[in-house]
Amino acid sequence: MSTLRNVTISDDTGTRYTDLFSDLTLDDYEILHTATGLRGIDAVLPADPFAPRASADGPLGALILRWTQAHVDGRNYMISWQYIDAHNIHTIAIANTTTRELHFINLFGTVTAGRRSYRLRDLADALDLLIEPTFARQS
């Protein structure tokens, strides 16, 4: 049996996001198992306007700002995002002005037990975040 000891959240640019999830305790994370062993971890993230990942732009505003700063390369990119409170959705638009390509990323919230929230695994999949758990072995 393994016990979760630490969680590090980063991306392929080397940007770290772990501090934006500091309001979660290790007990808040769910260890996901499959028949072949450990699959990963997940967590329910409350849509808390005072969480470290929040800003005036919504419950994920600080997370999105850090992610865009890490991924938008130079003046050839324009980025914008919007939080639609009524539907608990963050939409990120990324435009490359040189190639004239436009990409959208939607981060959908859920309602669990009457409270708005997000799933960590869903955010990681949408933003290509790496979730690296560290486990302590128990004898």
Side-chain angles (χ1 to χ4, degrees):
M1 180 81 183
S2 297
T3 303
L4 186 61
R5 189 178 70 197
N6 187 35
V7 176
T8 302
I9 302 170
S10 61
D11 66 19
D12 59 351
T13 68
T15 303
R16 297 224 176 240
Y17 300 89
T18 307
D19 62 308
L20 298 177
F21 300 92
S22 62
D23 59 321
L24 299 177
T25 67
L26 292 177
D27 291 333
D28 292 329
Y29 290 95
E30 302 167 30
I31 299 173
L32 306 175
H33 294 279
T34 66
T36 58
L38 178 68
R39 180 176 157 253
I41 61 170
D42 197 0
V44 174
L45 308 172
D48 180 357
F50 303 106
R53 65 198 149 273
S55 73
D57 296 318
L60 298 177
L63 171 65
I64 294 169
L65 178 60
R66 187 173 300 172
W67 183 85
T68 58
Q69 289 172 339
H71 288 85
V72 174
D73 188 25
R75 297 184 320 191
N76 296 337
Y77 287 89
M78 294 178 9
I79 192 154
S80 179
W81 74 85
Q82 175 181 7
Y83 174 60
I84 304 169
D85 184 47
H87 299 285
N88 201 27
I89 299 171
H90 287 269
T91 298
I92 305 167
I94 305 167
N96 183 325
T97 58
T98 303
T99 63
R100 302 183 65 81
E101 294 176 345
L102 179 62
H103 298 278
F104 290 96
I105 298 172
N106 290 306
L107 305 174
F108 297 98
T110 61
V111 177
T112 305
R115 297 198 53 173
R116 291 179 178 199
S117 61
Y118 299 88
R119 298 295 304 192
L120 177 60
R121 176 70 42 202
D122 292 342
L123 296 178
D125 290 345
L127 299 174
D128 290 328
L129 301 179
L130 306 170
I131 304 170
E132 301 174 78
T134 304
F135 294 94
R137 293 259 180 226
Q138 289 182 340
S139 313

